Amino acid sequence: MSRPVSTYRVQLTPAFGFAQVGEIAGYLRDLGVSHVYLSPILQATPGSLHGYDVTDHSRIREEFGGAKGFREMAELLAAQDLGIILDIVPNHMNTTNAQFWSVLAEGPASPYARWFDIDWDGGKVALPVLGDDVEPVVDGDVLRYHEHVFPHPGHYRLVDWRQGPGYRRFFDVSSLIGLRVEDPEVLFATHEVIFWLLDEGLVDGLRVDHPDGLADPRGYLERLRARSGGAWTVVEKILIGEERLPEDWACEGTTGYEVLNRINGLFVDPAGEAPLVELFTRLTGQPADFRPVMAEAKREVIELFFGAEIRRLARAAGCAPAAVAELLAAMPVYRAYMAPGEPPPPESVEIVERAAAECSPAVQPFVQQVLYGPADVITRFQQTCGPVMAKGVEDTALYRWFPLSCLNEVGGDPDLFGVPVADFHAFCRELRPHTMTTLSTHDTKRSEDVRARLSVLSELPGEWAQAVSEWSAAVSFDPRLDYLAWQNLMAAWPISAERFADYLLKAAREAKTAISWIKPDQGYEQRLRDFAAAAVKLPVGEFTERIDAFAMANSLGAKLVQLMMPGVPDVYQGNEQTDFSLVDPDNRRPVTFGRSPMSRWDAAKLAVTTQALRLRRRLDPAAPYTPILADGEAAEHAIAFARGDDPPQAVAVATRLPVRLARRAQAEEVQAGEREMCLGWGGTTLTLPTGTWRELLTGGLYTGRIPLAHLLARYPVALLERHDL
């Protein structure tokens, strides 16, 4: 079992299964990755494009090639010295499965009743499917209601879809039912295939989906580590602000959203905050502060989606539902890390009490239950915090408050403009050496290159405001949506009217200000599509072309930093070259692997990615991280660090805030770009560690103190490897 040095995420679909992954093995090996990181492989809902809706844990998905196809793929990958990382889903499965059918038919007497986290209040499980006056129809031994089919007779009750289910679910998705993997029998049954793949050496590591949904993440990870033989494991844990992963979780780290947001901040100019927030508030009518928008959104989603969860918690705690809802809305993180039967950690107490301080005195009895009450209350409260954060912030507030939408990422703070270089260095020195790092995932709101373009706006707020004013005068639709539309149209350019409209439709539904997933409006949606069709005909691409030299610098800089900083870097499929994708399903479109570069940016990004990944295979993942500070008047525009023992083996150098750097050269026209960036360095220098260094992108040899104008004359980044070892 080998530990990954780097990974490449592949989204499996019925059209791109194991055989197709095997076909790109040589390409991935040449790219330099050590492991292929696969989306979920177990049997899922037919046609599923993501695989998180597992229906049968005992089978590898037939649409991908089944067990035979997996083994053949593994052999092809192994022949290219590539291992496999699996994405696993312990928290939930789709409700259309044999085990839940048994529970619906037999109730608590079913041998599978222990599998699911069911509220047996009233003796029957509530199924929220009723939505009109149509009556369910008995058809032999089944009950039919529209597209739904249930066993008949059965030990369940159909209720209005707004009521919520009688079981824990994934967020607000009633078709995904929560699993009780804290039960050893359920753990083994749902991980049987995963364990034999590990036992046979066909898999080297695991990515654990949504650990916050589990009753006991710490205990689950301990059992997983013991049974997996210590396989490399990372968790999809969203950390907010300065929050850190608990030290007692048996895993290597997270999937990297906290890394993504800090890298992103390196390339955002804090000076852009005031003018961009002013532009946003003037155009949208939203407040200048994100916090009240977030608080309101969380309260709304609790009322809309989580009534069943609130009632169940209130009943268990003996508290008023209003108090439960109020404390949940105030929680600042996805989980407070309390374990039943143990004194709550001081940091957990501080988190809960900080939330309670924002609430009315009526929440205090519930606070005591959450901190010191029965196990069911402590556990269920934490399992509910994550869905409220996800739906309230990720899927609502971030679509309402967006002065600079590259900041509106999972786990990000849209009102945090910029990350100082010193803070980033301090963060890197604390990172776990084998945690995952990333820039794009199947769940990011925008791809890394879309964000690279948007970051430039923080340096050009005046020019951006003028462009938006001109476009808005030509075409307008909904003030609450238009400004988000202009940002994403510019940053994802070129984009078809259909793709753009699909994105805006999702954004409008998530914002829930005019329409939502449960409140459609055909007239609004048609006007939205008309707006998208008209907007793509405007000269938005001219603005994009003007800033692309700077966006390319941001893109290459972010990529190099991510690939060379501590951790195991992941490349999301297709992002070794430029990718201008928006939120899913846009970012899960088919990828042309190994395509020829279509632009200078493409070629440069592919070169940076390839050289960095190949260098990482020659570098110890736990190699020390040492900041290198530039010297001179433009020093703030450089981020540089060394990796390796004394003497280090590698040095990475990237340009940041490229517009201001170009303006240092007193360029008459901003779009002149690259030449002025180079001139902007003036006499600023960087002193390399002792020895001779080869720059891997250009082949040049360097030693000692180097002018950055010389080192970065061809590319806005440099990757150097010690040449005299």
Side-chain angles (χ1 to χ4, degrees):
M1 185 179 293
S2 63
R3 280 180 172 260
V5 174
S6 58
T7 62
Y8 189 97
R9 169 75 176 204
V10 174
Q11 290 295 114
L12 297 167
T13 69
F16 195 90
F18 302 142
Q20 288 72 35
V21 174
E23 290 171 0
I24 63 171
Y27 167 72
L28 296 179
R29 169 59 183 167
D30 290 344
L31 193 63
V33 297
S34 71
H35 284 69
V36 179
Y37 161 31
L38 299 175
S39 60
I41 65 165
L42 298 182
Q43 194 67 39
T45 303
S48 173
L49 298 178
H50 51 77
Y52 292 96
D53 45 0
V54 175
T55 57
D56 187 347
H57 290 88
S58 68
R59 288 193 296 153
I60 294 178
R61 195 167 170 184
E62 294 298 334
E63 289 168 292
F64 297 165
K68 181 175 182 292
F70 185 93
R71 190 179 297 277
E72 291 171 349
M73 173 196 67
E75 291 174 356
L76 290 172
L77 294 175
Q80 298 291 338
D81 195 25
L82 293 168
I84 296 174
I85 305 298
L86 290 185
D87 190 345
I88 64 172
V89 193
N91 174 68
H92 58 266
M93 67 185 300
N94 193 272
T95 53
T96 56
N97 65 78
Q99 292 79 19
F100 191 51
W101 186 273
S102 168
V103 173
L104 294 179
E106 303 175 55
S110 166
Y112 299 105
R114 65 193 300 174
W115 273 46
F116 306 107
D117 189 357
I118 293 175
D119 182 2
W120 290 109
D121 183 45
K124 296 183 178 182
V125 59
L127 300 179
V129 296
L130 299 179
D132 53 32
D133 295 331
V134 174
E135 290 294 323
V137 176
V138 176
D139 182 8
D141 59 356
V142 300
L143 184 71
R144 299 185 185 277
Y145 179 76
H146 292 288
E147 74 276 15
H148 303 286
V149 181
F150 307 103
H152 182 77
H155 202 284
Y156 57 86
R157 56 192 174 94
L158 303 185
V159 300
D160 186 275
W161 64 272
R162 299 172 187 83
Q163 180 173 321
Y167 49 82
R168 183 175 59 82
R169 55 187 165 170
F170 174 71
F171 295 170
D172 62 332
V173 185
S174 295
S175 61
L176 297 177
I177 185 169
L179 289 164
R180 297 186 60 255
V181 292
E182 63 271 24
D183 185 313
E185 179 182 307
V186 179
L187 173 67
F188 178 79
T190 56
H191 289 62
E192 176 186 2
V193 170
I194 305 302
F195 290 152
W196 73 251
L197 291 173
L198 286 162
D199 291 344
E200 290 198 22
L202 298 176
V203 167
D204 290 327
L206 304 171
R207 179 260 196 195
V208 177
D209 182 65
H210 188 47
D212 283 332
L214 303 178
D216 179 17
R218 183 183 65 185
Y220 168 79
L221 291 169
E222 288 173 352
R223 292 188 290 273
L224 187 65
R225 170 135 295 177
R227 181 59 184 80
S228 71
W232 180 83
T233 302
V234 291
V235 292
E236 188 219 15
K237 179 73 186 80
I238 312 303
L239 301 173
I240 303 297
E242 297 304 309
E243 181 186 10
R244 294 291 181 267
L245 195 68
E247 291 293 332
D248 59 1
W249 280 23
C251 62
E252 273 62 39
T254 75
T255 53
Y257 283 106
E258 72 279 13
V259 173
L260 178 159
N261 284 298
R262 282 173 173 81
I263 295 175
N264 194 53
L266 278 175
F267 300 91
V268 170
D269 191 347
E273 178 176 5
L276 287 175
V277 170
E278 190 280 328
L279 175 64
F280 165 74
T281 57
R282 174 162 49 85
L283 294 176
T284 65
Q286 287 280 17
D289 186 358
F290 174 61
R291 302 300 148 177
V293 176
M294 178 176 66
E296 181 182 11
K298 290 171 73 174
R299 288 193 295 267
E300 286 182 17
V301 300
I302 287 173
E303 183 177 350
L304 278 172
F305 304 124
F306 298 114
E309 288 82 357
I310 299 297
R311 290 190 296 271
R312 191 174 181 184
L313 252 175
R315 190 169 66 246
C319 296
V324 176
E326 190 176 4
L327 185 61
L328 279 169
M331 284 293 290
V333 294
Y334 284 68
R335 195 177 182 98
Y337 313 112
M338 293 171 291
E342 300 178 9
E347 55 269 26
S348 299
V349 174
E350 193 273 333
I351 289 170
V352 175
E353 290 185 343
R354 178 156 44 100
E358 299 180 11
C359 302
S360 67
V363 307
Q364 284 303 322
F366 183 56
V367 169
Q368 297 306 306
Q369 291 286 297
V370 165
L371 291 173
Y372 309 107
D376 188 48
V377 174
I378 293 172
T379 298
R380 205 162 297 286
F381 177 76
Q382 295 188 84
Q383 288 178 301
T384 311
C385 285
V388 169
M389 284 289 290
K391 296 303 297 182
V393 181
E394 290 178 38
D395 293 344
T396 304
L398 294 187
Y399 288 94
R400 296 180 179 180
W401 204 88
F402 37 80
L404 185 62
S405 59
C406 63
L407 301 176
N408 291 41
E409 265 306 339
V410 178
D413 291 312
D415 54 353
L416 179 62
F417 279 69
V419 171
V421 171
D423 290 359
F424 184 79
H425 286 318
F427 171 76
C428 286
R429 297 180 89 162
E430 295 177 0
L431 270 181
R432 298 186 183 193
H434 298 281
T435 192
M436 180 179 275
T437 70
T438 192
L439 286 180
S440 297
T441 77
H442 60 287
D443 278 336
T444 43
K445 304 297 185 185
R446 292 158 194 84
S447 69
E448 58 204 60
D449 295 321
V450 169
R451 295 198 307 272
R453 282 173 168 169
L454 289 167
S455 296
V456 178
L457 304 183
S458 68
E459 300 190 79
L460 293 170
E463 291 89 335
W464 172 243
Q466 178 61 37
V468 169
S469 176
E470 294 171 1
W471 301 332
S472 297
V475 181
S476 62
F477 170 53
D478 181 345
R480 295 165 296 187
L481 186 67
D482 287 6
Y483 184 54
L484 183 66
W486 296 127
Q487 290 184 65
N488 288 278
L489 178 58
M490 184 283 295
W493 191 271
I495 185 171
S496 68
E498 182 180 10
R499 274 183 61 209
F500 185 44
D502 286 347
Y503 167 73
L504 291 181
L505 187 59
K506 176 166 183 171
R509 287 170 172 166
E510 298 285 34
K512 307 171 189 64
T513 52
I515 61 172
S516 69
W517 297 104
I518 61 176
K519 190 181 71 174
D521 181 334
Q522 291 185 354
Y524 181 94
E525 292 170 15
Q526 184 56 54
R527 294 194 299 276
L528 179 151
R529 292 195 177 278
D530 293 342
F531 168 78
V536 298
K537 295 177 182 177
L538 295 177
V540 177
E542 294 178 6
F543 188 94
T544 305
E545 291 174 5
R546 286 182 58 207
I547 70 164
D548 262 359
F550 305 117
M552 173 178 158
N554 288 342
S555 166
L556 299 184
K559 198 69 177 175
L560 182 64
V561 169
Q562 182 241 338
L563 295 177
M564 292 304 300
M565 69 188 288
V568 175
D570 175 58
V571 176
Y572 183 62
Q573 60 178 27
N575 279 260
E576 63 271 26
Q577 296 190 45
T578 58
D579 173 41
F580 301 104
S581 296
L582 299 172
V583 72
D584 71 279
D586 194 62
N587 61 7
R588 300 178 189 179
R589 290 169 295 142
V591 172
T592 302
F593 295 95
R595 66 177 172 88
S596 298
M598 300 175 64
S599 66
R600 182 170 180 266
W601 188 348
D602 262 352
K605 192 176 182 191
L606 181 60
V608 168
T609 304
T610 303
Q611 291 296 339
L613 288 174
R614 290 175 179 177
L615 177 54
R616 287 302 300 260
R617 292 191 73 135
R618 303 189 292 270
L619 185 68
D620 183 349
Y625 174 96
T626 306
I628 300 177
L629 303 181
D631 182 35
E633 63 274 17
E636 67 167 323
H637 293 281
I639 167 89
F641 54 86
R643 296 296 311 279
D645 294 310
D646 191 17
Q649 297 167 255
V651 169
V653 185
T655 300
R656 60 188 296 268
L657 309 182
V659 176
R660 281 209 279 124
L661 180 65
R663 285 178 170 166
R664 290 183 56 82
Q666 298 181 337
E668 293 183 3
E669 296 184 54
V670 169
Q671 59 262 42
E674 292 177 81
R675 182 177 66 86
E676 281 69 25
M677 269 191 273
C678 199
L679 294 174
W681 289 113
T684 305
T685 62
L686 190 78
T687 302
L688 295 173
T690 303
T692 302
W693 297 83
R694 179 178 295 279
E695 206 288 309
L696 299 180
L697 300 174
T698 63
L701 293 177
Y702 297 92
T703 186
R705 190 172 185 176
I706 312 165
L708 282 173
H710 179 51
L711 180 64
L712 304 178
R714 185 171 172 187
Y715 295 103
V717 297
L719 177 60
L720 303 107
E721 183 176 21
R722 182 173 289 278
H723 186 60
D724 54 357
L725 288 179

